[in-house]
């Protein structure tokens, strides 16, 4: 009499029970896998598995871990080491940056992304004060109206009513 189990044929009952026992013992474990299972697994998971295996073998090697701890001994904890890797160095103060630029005879220097001037060099060489125009004074609505109606003095200030009338009288007398 022949016995069938998952499409395989066994001649004796003992062979059948051995095959069943083997199937139960390997139930949770993956076999070589079908094409579909290999396709789903993908390269990312394979790389992750390889990294885990590499880390595990590194941990098993006690000599390597001793060397690793010796290199990290300047930090009191792993957190301190990680923080030191991420944090940039301490930014130098404005005074240090200014002094360094002055010592190097520079007229300009950068500090925290902004440009500053030192006392070296002539002021006119660094920027021309005649080209820098002062910001115009903001006028309110009434001031804008009076400026338009009365005009401005030669110095750029808005004329008062008296000044406007005097200028108008002067124009009349010229004719």
């Amino acid at each position: 009499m022949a016995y069938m189990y998952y499409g395989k044929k066994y001649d004796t009952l003992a062979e059948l029970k051995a095959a069943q026992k083997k199937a139960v013992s390997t139930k949770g474990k993956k076999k070589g896998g079908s094409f579909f299972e290999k396709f789903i697994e993908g390269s990312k998971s394979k790389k992750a598995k390889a990294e885990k295996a590499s880390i595990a073998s590194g941990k098993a090697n006690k000599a390597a871990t001793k060397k690793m701890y010796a290199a990290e001994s300047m930090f009191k904890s792993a957190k301190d080491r990680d923080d030191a890797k991420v944090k940039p160095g301490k930014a130098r103060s404005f005074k240090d940056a200014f002094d360094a630029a002055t010592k190097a005879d520079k007229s300009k220097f950068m500090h925290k992304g902004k440009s500053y001037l030192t006392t070296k060099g002539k002021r006119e060489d660094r920027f021309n004060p005649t080209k820098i125009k002062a910001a115009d004074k903001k006028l309110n609505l009434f001031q804008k109206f009076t400026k338009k109606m009365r005009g401005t003095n030669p110095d750029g200030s808005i004329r008062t009513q008296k000044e406007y009338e005097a200028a108008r009288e002067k124009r009349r007398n010229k004719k």
Side-chain angles (χ1 to χ4, degrees):
M1 178 174 192
Y3 301 99
M4 293 289 291
Y5 183 69
Y6 283 106
K8 289 190 179 179
K9 189 175 182 184
Y10 299 98
D11 295 328
T12 63
L13 188 60
E15 287 177 355
L16 173 67
K17 287 190 177 185
Q20 287 175 340
K21 204 177 221 185
K22 184 177 179 185
V24 170
S25 68
T26 60
K27 187 175 183 182
K29 299 174 186 171
K30 282 190 175 181
K31 296 180 183 177
S34 66
F35 169 77
F36 184 70
E37 289 171 344
K38 289 177 184 175
F39 180 76
I40 287 177
E41 187 177 23
S43 64
K44 284 186 178 179
S45 61
K46 287 178 183 174
K47 286 179 184 175
K49 282 182 185 178
E51 287 176 3
K52 285 180 183 178
S54 174
I55 291 169
S57 67
K59 286 182 180 178
N61 185 352
K62 289 184 180 180
T65 52
K66 281 183 182 179
K67 287 179 185 176
M68 191 167 57
Y69 285 130
E72 297 167 353
S73 64
M74 61 186 263
F75 299 105
K76 291 182 181 175
S77 69
K79 184 182 181 306
D80 292 342
R81 182 189 70 244
D82 295 341
D83 290 345
K85 286 180 183 176
V86 175
K87 280 185 187 174
K90 185 179 177 186
R92 63 182 180 167
S93 68
F94 180 84
K95 184 181 183 316
D96 292 341
F98 181 84
D99 290 344
T102 306
K103 189 175 182 181
D105 291 331
K106 292 184 180 180
S107 61
K108 295 179 182 179
F109 68 98
M110 296 285 286
H111 181 257
K112 293 185 179 178
K114 293 182 182 177
S115 180
Y116 295 95
L117 301 172
T118 64
T119 55
K120 294 284 182 190
K122 292 185 178 178
R123 186 171 190 266
E124 294 80 27
D125 293 341
R126 291 184 285 173
F127 57 90
N128 189 351
T130 59
K131 289 185 180 178
I132 297 173
K133 182 183 170 190
D136 291 335
K137 184 179 174 186
K138 294 216 175 198
L139 305 174
N140 63 28
L141 188 62
F142 181 71
Q143 289 170 329
K144 288 179 186 176
F145 178 73
T146 55
K147 181 178 180 180
K148 195 171 194 177
M149 296 304 291
R150 297 178 188 156
T152 57
N153 291 323
D155 66 348
S157 62
I158 300 172
R159 289 182 178 159
T160 62
Q161 187 65 30
K162 271 188 180 180
E163 291 170 336
Y164 169 73
E165 289 172 0
R168 187 176 65 180
E169 194 64 36
K170 190 176 180 182
R171 284 193 306 270
R172 278 188 190 163
N173 291 338
K174 272 190 175 179
K175 286 183 182 182

